[in-house]
Amino acid sequence: CLSDWSSDVCSSDLGWGPGKSNGDLIDRVQSLVAGETADGRRRELVSELLDLYANESGDTDDIWDVITTDRMWRVPAREMMNAHALAGGPVYAYEFALPSPVRNGEFGACHAMEIPFVFGNLDQMGVNEFVGDDLGQGTPARAVSDQMNRSWAEFAAAGVPRGPNGSGWDRYSMANEKQMHFGADIHLRRDPHSERLSWWNEHAHEIVPWGIS
């Protein structure tokens, strides 16, 4: 399977935000801890979560975007990839990370942004309202679209996608956590979010399930 997430799936500018103050962020993080958790342990978990994302840039909305993207998208996607790989199925992972300049960059690389890139539809009417106008030959947007279109066609035809210039695209496994990065540059890498995602898995029994909080 081809499995993915976008780097900015959840965007505060699209209605996901906790508010602008640090207090708002702490309140929202506290809401993620299961209600039956003892007060002392609750404080520990909140502190661990805030420390885990302390190096993220931007304001509290931006930090919350990363937290919710991890919790709601990256963690479930990685669980699915791990299960498929453990069952012996081939998994090719990627992250779409080419942010849209629309609305002063508010969209980022949000959910569904990659769809017109995959299908080579950047020139279709209205697409520029979502992905921006810088779509000509030689632009990062065109390079990403051309490569994604080729890779998906290769996967559909032979079950094995390739990277830029026919380079290899390693199968994902729990050991290597390899993914193709589709951004201003396109390259194969180890998932840089692994430490954060492992924290969520390790503490799943102490966190309110997604869809409830």
Side-chain angles (χ1 to χ4, degrees):
C1 72
L2 271 171
S3 183
D4 80 306
W5 51 66
S6 298
S7 59
D8 306 301
V9 174
C10 300
S11 172
S12 295
D13 297 298
L14 302 178
W16 296 94
K20 293 295 184 182
S21 74
N22 191 52
D24 290 330
L25 177 63
I26 293 173
D27 288 344
R28 185 60 67 93
V29 170
Q30 287 176 335
S31 74
L32 300 179
V33 181
E36 63 272 18
T37 305
D39 287 344
R41 181 57 180 152
R42 177 183 295 273
R43 287 192 292 272
E44 289 177 0
L45 289 169
V46 170
S47 178
E48 287 179 24
L49 258 176
L50 292 173
D51 287 346
L52 198 61
Y53 293 89
N55 292 328
E56 296 300 321
S57 60
D59 60 19
T60 57
D61 278 349
D62 297 321
I63 296 170
W64 181 250
D65 289 348
V66 181
I67 293 173
T68 51
T69 291
D70 281 356
R71 178 182 178 231
M72 297 167 63
W73 298 95
R74 288 190 176 114
V75 170
R78 191 173 77 153
E79 289 177 351
M80 183 275 292
M81 290 189 292
N82 287 343
H84 195 69
L86 284 171
V91 178
Y92 298 93
Y94 70 96
E95 176 169 278
F96 180 82
L98 190 68
S100 168
V102 172
R103 290 174 54 179
N104 296 316
E106 290 179 352
F107 288 163
C110 66
H111 182 51
M113 182 68 69
E114 78 276 16
I115 293 174
F117 290 84
V118 169
F119 291 100
N121 289 334
L122 297 184
D123 297 321
Q124 295 298 310
M125 183 181 299
V127 170
N128 65 317
E129 297 179 17
F130 190 38
V131 305
D133 295 310
D134 193 13
L135 305 174
Q137 294 299 323
T139 62
R142 186 65 60 175
V144 167
S145 181
D146 289 347
Q147 184 57 57
M148 294 185 86
N149 192 252
R150 282 194 300 270
S151 297
W152 267 241
E154 290 162 352
F155 180 74
V160 180
R162 291 183 293 176
N165 302 312
S167 59
W169 183 334
D170 294 352
R171 285 171 59 165
Y172 170 92
S173 72
M174 293 179 65
N176 68 27
E177 296 187 312
K178 289 295 185 68
Q179 64 176 205
M180 192 67 72
H181 172 82
F182 288 98
D185 64 329
I186 306 169
H187 60 276
L188 191 68
R189 67 180 187 182
R190 184 180 178 90
D191 179 11
H193 315 297
S194 178
E195 178 184 357
R196 298 199 313 254
L197 304 188
S198 293
W199 186 94
W200 288 97
N201 288 130
E202 291 167 9
H203 299 282
H205 62 290
E206 299 177 292
I207 299 296
V208 177
W210 175 58
I212 294 179
S213 65

